[in-house]
Amino acid sequence: MRRKLTVILISLSFLLTACSVMDTTNEPEAPQEEQTPETNDEAEENGEDEASSNEEGELKNESEYANAFAENLDEREDEDGLTVIQEPDIKEVVVNKNRKLPEGYEPDELVVPDVRFPFDDDHPKKYMQPEAADALEQLFNAADDQGLDLYATSGYRSYERQKTIYENNVADRGQEEADKFSARPGTSEHQTGLAMDVTSPEMEFRLDQSFIDTEEGQWLADHAHEYGFVIRYLEGTSDITGYEYEPWHLRYIGKDLSAEVHESGGTLEEFFGFYPE
């Protein structure tokens, strides 16, 4: 009997030990140390940093694209060694002494901007492409708000009109001198309908470099880019543009690009990757 009781006690001991082992095995693991979540401010800051980084990357890519613009064009040269422009209708088009518009080019549509002119006749040089004309109206309205007195004098010129102007300048001053300020036919920005020369009564409506010394000229230099225009022929860049300084010559390229070009302090040739050979 005593032996039987001993066997039962031993068996019971093994059973209790087994249960203890099973309880330990099934016991859930201790929770890991809780991670402290980011505060909302930190999350927003990180998000802003990431967005800022992305934005900077996009701007860099845009600038790189702009500077490589010339490389993306498949353009040909004519018998005179001038590049014939492939896309003359885009507002980013770069026309200069080395880059000419296709033969017979005319803008699809031209309108007269509602701004002041020093003459009343319905002359072709009053006209611009619609988008550029609208932007010029906004620029003139802003100048009016500042008490300035701008006048538009010369916008669109056809190939034939430019030919006459150039030949007259050559006859009066010789070809070498004429080439410093007058475009040969087919190479004038005015033929695109995206350019306008402006002046003021103080200048007696003349186009002269002293225009920059007037309030109107200085205001344009500082603010034209806010309305989509750039001063096309900057001081000290004749070796790049081919032309002397023209503080009166406005060229429309659109607000986004004009802000970037103005900030760069350079010419369209430099910005888009076109350089004189």
Side-chain angles (χ1 to χ4, degrees), residues 67-85:
N67 291 328
F69 183 81
E71 300 175 3
N72 297 328
L73 299 178
D74 182 19
E75 296 177 325
R76 62 177 179 83
E77 291 187 355
D78 66 4
E79 62 278 5
D80 297 321
L82 299 180
T83 298
V84 180
I85 293 170

Side-chain angles (χ1 to χ4, degrees), residues 136-153:
L136 190 71
E137 292 173 4
Q138 295 178 39
L139 182 148
F140 267 61
N141 289 337
D144 288 347
D145 291 342
Q146 297 299 314
L148 303 174
D149 204 9
L150 284 175
Y151 278 74
T153 63

Side-chain angles (χ1 to χ4, degrees), residues 4 9 12 15 17 19 31 127 130-131 172 197 228 231 262 270 276:
K4 187 175 182 180
L9 289 176
L12 183 59
L15 180 62
T17 301
C19 288
Y127 286 75
E131 185 178 340
D172 291 342
D197 293 335
I231 306 299
H262 179 79
E270 292 169 294

Side-chain angles (χ1 to χ4, degrees), residues 95-254:
V95 184
N96 58 30
K97 291 184 177 182
N98 300 311
R99 297 176 50 75
K100 64 183 289 187
L101 293 162
E103 185 175 351
Y105 173 77
E106 294 180 0
D108 291 334
E109 184 180 2
L110 292 166
V111 300
V112 178
D114 185 14
V115 299
R116 289 182 296 275
F117 291 87
F119 53 89
D120 296 325
D121 298 341
D122 183 22
H123 196 284
K125 64 182 179 181
K126 280 187 172 181
Y127 286 75
M128 300 183 79
Q129 290 197 39
E131 185 178 340
D134 182 66
L136 190 71
E137 292 173 4
Q138 295 178 39
L139 182 148
F140 267 61
N141 289 337
D144 288 347
D145 291 342
Q146 297 299 314
L148 303 174
D149 204 9
L150 284 175
Y151 278 74
T153 63
S154 186
Y156 173 69
R157 293 180 205 154
S158 67
Y159 178 94
E160 291 74 19
R161 172 68 178 160
Q162 188 64 39
K163 184 173 185 290
T164 299
I165 291 173
Y166 178 75
E167 290 176 349
N168 288 342
N169 285 326
V170 170
D172 291 342
R173 306 178 68 169
Q175 184 168 317
E176 183 177 352
E177 186 65 22
D179 282 339
K180 294 180 181 179
F181 64 90
S182 185
R184 299 189 182 199
T187 67
S188 171
E189 279 201 328
H190 286 281
Q191 191 178 338
T192 67
L194 296 170
M196 179 64 77
D197 293 335
V198 297
T199 185
S200 68
E202 183 179 345
M203 295 295 300
E204 298 179 345
F205 306 114
R206 292 177 295 108
L207 300 178
D208 188 87
Q209 290 182 352
S210 61
F211 180 58
I212 190 59
D213 298 322
T214 67
E215 291 184 9
E216 286 80 6
Q218 189 57 60
W219 185 85
L220 283 176
D222 294 337
H223 298 283
H225 68 280
E226 297 171 6
Y227 304 92
F229 292 91
V230 293
I231 306 299
R232 178 66 174 93
Y233 305 118
L234 298 172
E235 188 171 14
T237 63
S238 60
D239 59 326
I240 297 173
T241 65
Y243 296 100
E244 298 293 332
Y245 178 40
E246 294 188 3
W248 64 82
H249 183 97
L250 296 177
R251 164 62 198 279
Y252 180 73
I253 57 175

